Amino acid sequence: MMHSNLKISTILTAVLTMGAMAVFFISFLLAETEISLLITVALGIGFFIFAKNQSYFENMIIFSNQRPVFFHGLIIIIISLILSICKHEHFALFMIASVTLYATACFGLTLQLGYAGLTNFAGAAFLGIGGYTVAILANNNVPIILSVLFGGITASLIGSLLILPILRTRGHYAALVTIAFSLLFKTFLELNEFLGGPQGIKIPPMNLFGWSFSEPVLGGSFYISYVILSLIVMGVVLGITRLVEKSWLGLHFDSVRIDEVASSCFGINIAFWKITAFTIGNFFIGISGGIYANMLGHIAPTNFTFGDSLILISIVILGGIGNPIGVLPAAFLILVLPEKLQFIQEYRLLLFSILVILVLIYRPDGLLNRPLRKFYKEWGPPFIGK
Amino acid sequence: MENKLLDVTNLTVEFGGLTALSGLDFQLREGELLGLIGPNGSGKTTCFNAITGIYKPSKGSVVLLTKDITGLNSQKIYKSGITRTFQRLRLAVGLSVFDNLVIGDTVDLNTSVLFNLLKRKALRKQVDYQLNKVKNILKIFNPDLVNAIYEPISKLTMIDRRRVEVCRALISRPRVLLLDEPSAGMTSEETREFMDDLLEIKKKTPSLGIILIEHEMSVIQRVTDRCVVLNYGKKIAEGTYKAISCSRDVRVAYLGED
Amino acid sequence: MILDFLDQYLVNGLVLGVIYAMVAVGFTLFFGVLNIIKFSHGDVLMAGGFAALLAHQTLTSLGSELTIFNLIVTIIFAVLSMGLLGALAARFLVLPLKAAPPLNTLLITLMLGLAIREAVRLFYPNGSNPKPFPRLLPDTSTTLQTFQIRTDSLIIIFGGLGAILFLHLLIKNTRLGLAIRAIAQDSETARLMGINFRKIVLGTFALGSGLAALAGVANGLYYNEVNFSMGLFLGVVGFSSAVVGGLGSILGAIIGGFLFALLQTLGAIWFTVPAYKDVFAFIIIIVIMACRPTGLLSESSSDRV
Ligand SMILES: Nc1ncnc2c1ncn2[C@@H]1O[C@H](COP(=O)(O)OP(=O)(O)O)[C@@H](O)[C@H]1O
Ligand SMILES: [Mg+2]
């Protein structure tokens, strides 16, 4: 009965908004000069404010809820268009794949930090575990899909080993252990000859069921393969993350995060849920790290420093803690902006830290605040028609 | 009616040098509403915390029916059928009323990862089942709350939050319900209404035992079957309201008479 | 052999222990009054080292050549400037988030640490490279019965312990200390009794950060080098020491600091690869934490409910 209430104007404005976002995305990625970039950003902000006032974004949400097939189909079409436009742009494609993989890792962090309230300040180290696992396995001719999965599993296992003492401790234990791990991980890599020491290690290009990732695709850049693969992985991980949120699992995670005492008085096993969140989250981070390493073709300890962990955390906070959708624009902003504005490259960590501090003080919900849980599509107060 | 439900013996809780609760003995019978009273700092909340496993008692025992639950963790105590409210509200303010109530019923939820991710239809059935349960319990306390099920707690008034917290403790059909100053922050009119609802619950679930911490003597007089009076962590009197209100010790503790 | 061993490891371990203890005491103080972990603490230490360097350069460029005078002014400048930084951080970052989830405070101090680190790296002249720290302590040795100790080590050990003792006495015997203890015990009651909560929190942060600055100077004097990234590691070590000793207890922080140094020293003796000593120390610390979750000496009992 709610379906009949979707107005044409809602659909139109939703589609328009999506189109505008795609145009913004493309112009931003392909802007060559700083002037054109600034104009793009200015127009983008202008449209954002306009769309927000006209509640276009809400229309988009309504549209996506009520016509999910249409909505997701449209997204796929838009992505294909973007890819066909950029198909020769190595760098743009590389950036798209990086943003996608970082976002995937950030979904893992969203599970940990955003849902279960578990601080993981070693995100980059778990990316690195995924990456190095893939490097070793791929160099030993293990099929790539297995090595990526193993990358995720290794990250999960090492993570759950680290977090095991949480069974007994409380509070900031996870923060402490993950920072220490993050710092020591880099040292460990640098000392380890088997893993290539400070110089790092090479990884052969991916080959998925005969689909070679080093060849040009459709006459375009070979990065297209990585973009497509990472988009698929991201889609699946995003889907799982959202299903987790819209289920009893999400409810348990939230309860553990918000109030441990009350949770345990209502039968919730705090340690179990923390370990679950940590394990699943690190699995996601590990597989993104595996694919990322493959795309880079060569990884070294400097790819996975504590600073990178903080960048991952910044993306999550900026996007809106606990809102995986917000991670997407945040990852885009944090990764692409410094590449585009070279003069801020050197200052990027300083700028991000200040930005995140301001966000935490003035807008703790980030770019997109997390909506209340909807267990299923029609979840909500009964529709009161006239 | 005379079945012993909860048996607390020699319960003692110490914090460093401070003995917050010392050698407390009392029993709660099925269907009984027991008042736990005493001046501020006399150890009432500590008693609840020791029963629910938040603090580990240094001595004594707590037996529920025939099961010794002394020193078990909070989770296990919940599972054996004791729930509570908190003196300072401990709801998840950012979550919806529904979410908060369902947290009270975790024994009834299927939390297997595969079930939650893959069996969405069955999950939806469980959610709808819980929705019904939540509505029914809210109705008893305030029918208007049923319309607020999808709202965040932050939108509710203080009294409604208190009610939600009590409903959260009741939804799993516990054997023993511990209420820590539920009327704090309510007007006397609201308190009266709340206590009426509580009596209704008591009538509907004849085997439920309730321990109520409450400061207002007229409320105690009206709703409780029996009272335990604490002062400085020790029991100084026990009995019906009538009996304890005649006790000299109680008058000294409360009114400073001497 | 034995003598070498004592020279090398014992004294080094004691110096490290004092420095760690100074950092850990700060963590314990902040946790006591506000129940928070201030992740920028290690970077405040590092910034303290740089502030001292800056002060010293200014002094020498002004022609001041009296080493002892330079040392004292340098220390005072570092301690005061970091005390101010600590109070500002509390005023503008920590207190405004008091009502927010504790996670946000943790994140904001983590980001503050990053900001301090990056600011030093970018804006201190040539800040991305290690900078030599002036030798302001006598480089003579004292012969103690059969083995030699560098005088500077002795000064650092006793100076650091003196500073901690001073802080301890301050907290034990002054009105400020009384207020800090009252807030640590029960902040609501303390406020009801008319204690100016804000002021005390700012004071505590200033004290803790000043002590960190002192640790930064000690670290610089001992290694004759400061480095923008050194705070991170020292912060984690200080934090672990505080946790293992029992957050909230000053004595615990001291024990934790020396324990960490002891473990590192043992690690250095047992492993040929120097970096493994840190891995070893952290693993043992984590095991201890798992066995004694509230720390070796914990003053605060379970959370109030
Ligand atoms: N976690 C704790 N740590 C230290 N002392 C506590 C703790 N909880 C309660 N107390 C002390 O125990 C005594 C009893 O407190 P409480 O049970 O809260 O009293 P009531 O609920 O009767 O007002 C008080 O003196 C209080 O300060
Ligand atoms: Mg109480």
Side-chain angles (χ1 to χ4, degrees), chain C:
Chain C
M1 177 63 208
I2 288 286
L3 301 185
D4 269 4
F5 171 84
L6 283 174
D7 276 3
Q8 241 177 291
Y9 293 109
L10 181 74
V11 178
N12 183 52
L14 286 176
V15 172
L16 289 182
V18 163
I19 293 176
Y20 297 162
M22 283 195 273
V23 189
V25 165
F27 277 107
T28 267
L29 278 182
F30 306 144
F31 188 81
V33 287
L34 270 184
N35 251 303
I36 64 153
I37 300 296
K38 185 170 166 258
F39 274 111
S40 51
H41 200 51
D43 296 292
V44 170
L45 177 155
M46 174 276 296
F50 274 87
L53 191 59
L54 190 70
H56 185 260
Q57 276 166 359
T58 315
L59 282 173
T60 43
S61 71
L62 290 176
S64 162
E65 281 179 0
L66 192 62
T67 312
I68 181 86
F69 172 77
N70 285 358
L71 177 67
I72 291 172
V73 174
T74 298
I75 288 179
I76 291 178
F77 178 74
V79 169
L80 289 184
S81 59
M82 288 308 116
L84 183 67
L85 180 66
L88 288 177
R91 166 71 185 75
F92 291 104
L93 302 184
V94 176
L95 282 176
L97 289 195
K98 214 179 161 301
L103 180 66
N104 292 24
T105 312
L106 199 147
L107 294 172
I108 209 168
T109 57
L110 188 76
M111 289 298 158
L112 174 67
L114 177 62
I116 295 175
R117 205 148 64 235
E118 284 293 299
V120 169
R121 181 175 76 86
L122 292 164
F123 302 127
Y124 198 92
N126 198 9
S128 54
N129 293 325
K131 321 274 306 176
F133 197 87
R135 290 180 184 275
L136 296 174
L137 297 178
D139 54 359
T140 54
S141 305
T142 313
T143 309
L144 244 169
Q145 294 191 338
T146 51
F147 68 105
Q148 288 195 321
I149 297 184
R150 274 165 56 188
T151 317
D152 54 354
S153 307
L154 272 184
I155 295 178
I156 290 174
I157 293 169
F158 287 104
L161 284 178
I164 296 174
L165 185 68
F166 171 75
L167 194 87
H168 175 71
L169 291 176
L170 193 85
I171 288 177
K172 216 65 209 253
N173 297 324
T174 63
R175 290 185 56 129
L176 172 69
L178 184 68
I180 291 178
R181 277 181 295 143
I183 288 179
Q185 273 281 315
D186 184 343
S187 78
E188 245 166 71
T189 314
R191 261 183 278 189
L192 287 177
M193 313 258 282
I195 288 177
N196 185 337
F197 179 73
R198 273 178 96 80
K199 225 167 85 186
I200 301 306
V201 168
L202 298 194
T204 314
F205 272 69
L207 272 179
S209 306
L211 194 63
L214 197 62
V217 177
N219 192 70
L221 288 170
Y222 187 64
Y223 289 110
N224 299 115
E225 183 185 292
V226 283
N227 177 345
F228 82 95
S229 62
M230 71 190 197
L232 197 56
F233 185 74
L234 282 169
V236 181
V237 171
F239 180 18
S240 324
S241 311
V243 172
V244 119
L247 270 175
S249 144
I250 290 193
L251 186 60
I254 299 172
I255 294 179
F258 279 101
L259 178 66
F260 201 101
L262 172 72
L263 290 171
Q264 266 184 326
T265 309
L266 291 178
I269 297 170
W270 289 335
F271 300 102
T272 42
V273 184
Y276 285 165
K277 69 179 192 297
D278 301 332
V279 179
F280 169 75
F282 271 116
I283 289 176
I284 302 290
I285 289 285
I286 288 170
V287 171
I288 297 178
M289 269 161 61
C291 300
R292 283 203 58 112
T294 52
L296 296 173
L297 293 185
S298 70
E299 272 179 5
S300 62
S301 45
S302 36
D303 295 343
R304 262 163 213 249
V305 172

Side-chain angles (χ1 to χ4, degrees), chain B residues 15 18 20 39-47 55 87, chain C residues 301-304:
Chain B
F15 298 111
L18 178 92
N40 267 329
S42 58
K44 307 180 295 290
T45 301
T46 303
C47 170
Y55 298 158
Q87 181 169 356
Chain C
S301 45
S302 36
D303 295 343
R304 262 163 213 249

Side-chain angles (χ1 to χ4, degrees), chain B residues 165-178:
Chain B
E165 213 192 15
V166 175
C167 292
R168 175 175 72 176
L170 276 169
I171 193 168
S172 59
R173 303 184 166 279
R175 293 196 171 107
V176 176
L177 172 66
L178 309 178

